Every structure is written in structure tokens, then in C-alpha cells.
Amino acid sequence: MKTFLTVTLTLMLMVPEFFAGNLGLAPALPLYGAVCIFIAFGTAYGVSAAGFAALTADIIYDRPFPAWTIAAVIILFCSASAAKRMQRKQPGAALVSGAVCGTLTALYNIFIVYFTGGTLAGPNPYSLLIFHLAGGMLFMFLLVLIFDALNLRSDLPRFGIYDSRGMRGAGS
């Protein structure tokens, strides 16, 4: 079931990613899903989701070197470590990991634009950074809500750590 959910979530997030990519944006939506998968299911599931999505993007956009694949895995580890160091039953863990993921993605995009001489998807680097930071926080928070609800119904591990003993009530 974990493999099915990993593949399904990755593919579902790749569709809007490629639509945005064809418009000149790079929101890295599958990377946020990979962070959720990494924290809930483990390292192998998260790295395979991020690696598959990033390598597919590198192949589709005909990049000569898979720089995004390498960067996506590094961003995944940084974002997941930020979330794992926090108390994950609070919404702050999703917000912080989304902020880290969005900020590092924006910095990667800015670096690649200046390194290759391409065009920036926005008026300046600061607006791109703010867009990715705020968008990453919001998207990650909503994705964690949906992901945890789905995993609760499927009896799978979740992003958040919830104490089941405290939820039974005082009389138990």
C-alpha cells in the first residue's frame, strides 16, 4: 500500500508540475509530496519519489546534466531533517519544512538562471524567493492535512506523530 500511495501521489503532483513548467515556472510540487512520503514512510520511499519525479523532469525538458535530480534529493534531505527535528503533531513542522523546501528550490532556480544565463520566472530574485517561500509553506501544510487524513483511513504511518493514548479520554 505504501508503494501504491507513493507512486500515485508522485504522479498526481507531476501533472500540475509539468503544466507549470511549460509556463516557465518551477514550483517543485512532487518534491513536497516526497518530503511527506520521506517522513511518513521512510528514506527509500521519499528518495525514490523525489528522484523519479526530478529525473523525469530532467528527461522531458532535455537537460544535458541531471542537476535538478541531484538538487532535489539534497533539498529533500534538508526539508525532511527540518521537519524531523520539530514536534510533528503541531502544524509548525509542515510549515517549516515547506519553507525550507521552497526557499532551497528558489535558490536552486536563481543559481541555475545565473549560471546558464536563462530567464528568471519573475521580475526579480526576491519576488521568486518570497513566492516559493509562501507558496511552499501553504502547499506543504495543505498536503500534510490531506496526506495524514488519507493515511489515517488507510492505517498507514503519517507525517505527524500523534499520541493515541492521550486521545482515548480521561476515564480509560
Side-chain angles (χ1 to χ4, degrees):
M1 187 67 176
K2 289 180 185 178
T3 305
F4 174 75
L5 188 60
T6 300
V7 170
T8 303
L9 183 64
T10 304
L11 291 176
M12 287 179 65
L13 291 174
M14 285 173 66
V15 171
E17 173 73 18
F18 288 134
F19 282 137
N22 290 337
L23 296 173
L25 302 172
L29 299 178
L31 193 54
Y32 295 101
V35 171
C36 289
I37 291 167
F38 184 98
I39 291 173
F41 298 158
T43 306
Y45 288 99
V47 170
S48 63
F52 172 74
L55 189 61
T56 303
D58 281 338
I59 291 170
I60 285 178
Y61 293 123
D62 196 30
R63 296 177 183 140
F65 181 74
W68 173 237
T69 304
I70 296 166
V73 172
I74 292 170
I75 292 169
L76 172 71
F77 277 103
C78 292
S79 301
S81 70
K84 282 189 172 191
R85 293 177 192 266
M86 299 188 71
Q87 189 175 13
R88 292 198 324 250
K89 65 181 173 182
Q90 303 295 328
L95 295 173
V96 168
S97 65
V100 169
C101 189
T103 302
L104 292 176
T105 301
L107 291 175
Y108 168 79
N109 288 333
I110 292 167
F111 174 76
I112 288 297
V113 163
Y114 287 127
F115 183 70
T116 62
T119 58
L120 193 63
N124 57 27
Y126 302 111
S127 62
L128 183 69
L129 190 63
I130 295 298
F131 170 75
H132 276 280
L133 176 78
M137 289 172 67
L138 178 67
F139 185 72
M140 188 68 168
F141 179 72
L142 294 174
L143 187 63
V144 165
L145 286 177
I146 294 168
F147 184 75
D148 277 356
L150 180 64
N151 285 356
L152 178 66
R153 297 286 294 170
S154 302
D155 197 28
L156 291 171
R158 295 177 281 170
F159 181 93
I161 297 174
Y162 305 101
D163 186 13
S164 61
R165 289 175 287 163
M167 301 179 87
R168 290 186 183 149
S172 300

